[in-house]
Amino acid sequence: MSFAVETDRLLLRLWEESDAAGYRELVGERGGDVPTIPEAIDEIRDARESAPGRGIHLLTLRRRGEDEFLGYCGLVVGRASIDEPEIAYELLRSAHGHGYATEAATAVVDAARATGRRRLWATVRSWNAPSFRVLEKLGVRRDHTTTDDRGDIVWNVLDL
Ligand SMILES: CC(C)(COP(=O)(O)OP(=O)(O)OC[C@H]1O[C@@H](n2cnc3c(N)ncnc32)[C@H](O)[C@@H]1OP(=O)(O)O)[C@@H](O)C(=O)NCCC(=O)NCCS
């Protein structure tokens, strides 16, 4: 898929080392163990290096013409596969509620379709209403549910 995508309001691009601070903030809001700056930079370097070989990747989001890191959206293997990957998105809380996830995900769906892929998945915890709403706006349908030690995971599918 493309490494840089523009929408009406957003620029989606590959991670850069300067995104380390934004990435740490995102992990902190998620409640995870926040990586140190060097650890975050290492993760970003790994992601950049593996992106061309995998052909799919997560892209950072920012408003066009602005440098503020808002979050990411893109394709990952996740619980699915390289041929039928998962769409993923996560935004800083300050960026929620503006339609950015939907706008970015719509562009990622188009980019996935352009690679010739036929199907995307999205696995979502059953409590995650905002994420289900984003998927609903994309035209994704619920397929089946599995369970792990943290509860139900709803598998949603989008035929491209
Ligand atoms: C999911 C997430 C990316 C959505 O980002 P966003 O930019 O706010 O999404 P959008 O504005 O494009 O759309 C959100 C929709 O959910 C709706 N919504 C928000 N909170 C809701 C709630 N508690 N119940 C029902 N709908 C809700 C919004 O009203 C909006 O729908 P609308 O356009 O019909 O009004 C964001 O909440 C997030 O980063 N969450 C944490 C990470 C995460 O859960 N990622 C997904 C893992 S599967």
Side-chain angles (χ1 to χ4, degrees):
M1 65 183 274
S2 175
F3 280 53
V5 178
E6 281 193 6
T7 68
D8 284 350
R9 296 181 295 170
L10 301 172
L11 171 66
L12 286 68
R13 71 175 190 218
L14 213 49
W15 290 79
E16 295 178 1
E17 290 179 18
S18 55
D19 295 317
Y23 172 59
R24 294 177 77 237
E25 196 180 342
L26 204 56
V27 175
E29 286 190 354
R30 199 193 286 165
D33 290 335
V34 179
T36 63
I37 288 276
E39 285 167 348
I41 288 175
D42 278 350
E43 283 188 50
I44 288 170
R45 280 198 192 128
D46 287 350
R48 280 187 72 92
E49 280 166 21
S50 64
R54 296 167 77 93
I56 61 171
H57 34 83
L58 295 175
L59 300 171
T60 59
L61 306 185
R62 43 198 19 97
R63 283 178 283 266
R64 284 168 65 158
E66 294 181 24
D67 200 41
E68 187 189 343
F69 173 95
L70 302 179
Y72 65 78
C73 181
L75 299 178
V76 292
V77 171
R79 301 183 180 96
S81 68
I82 199 100
D83 291 333
E84 293 188 4
E86 280 203 57
I87 188 161
Y89 36 72
E90 183 176 11
L91 271 65
L92 288 170
R93 281 187 202 133
S94 57
H96 290 188
H98 299 281
Y100 291 148
T102 305
E103 187 167 324
T106 301
V108 166
V109 166
D110 289 344
R113 190 180 288 112
T115 68
R117 286 187 167 75
R118 307 291 294 273
R119 211 143 73 136
L120 297 182
W121 292 92
T123 58
V124 181
R125 295 277 166 192
S126 51
W127 49 262
N128 198 337
S131 186
F132 281 115
R133 179 68 189 129
V134 171
L135 295 177
E136 189 181 14
K137 290 189 282 182
L138 293 177
V140 174
R141 67 179 163 80
R142 292 192 187 205
D143 190 73
H144 65 281
T145 301
T146 55
T147 305
D148 69 5
D149 53 358
R150 290 171 52 209
D152 285 350
I153 301 165
V154 181
W155 291 66
N156 307 275
V157 69
L158 180 65
D159 292 314
L160 297 175

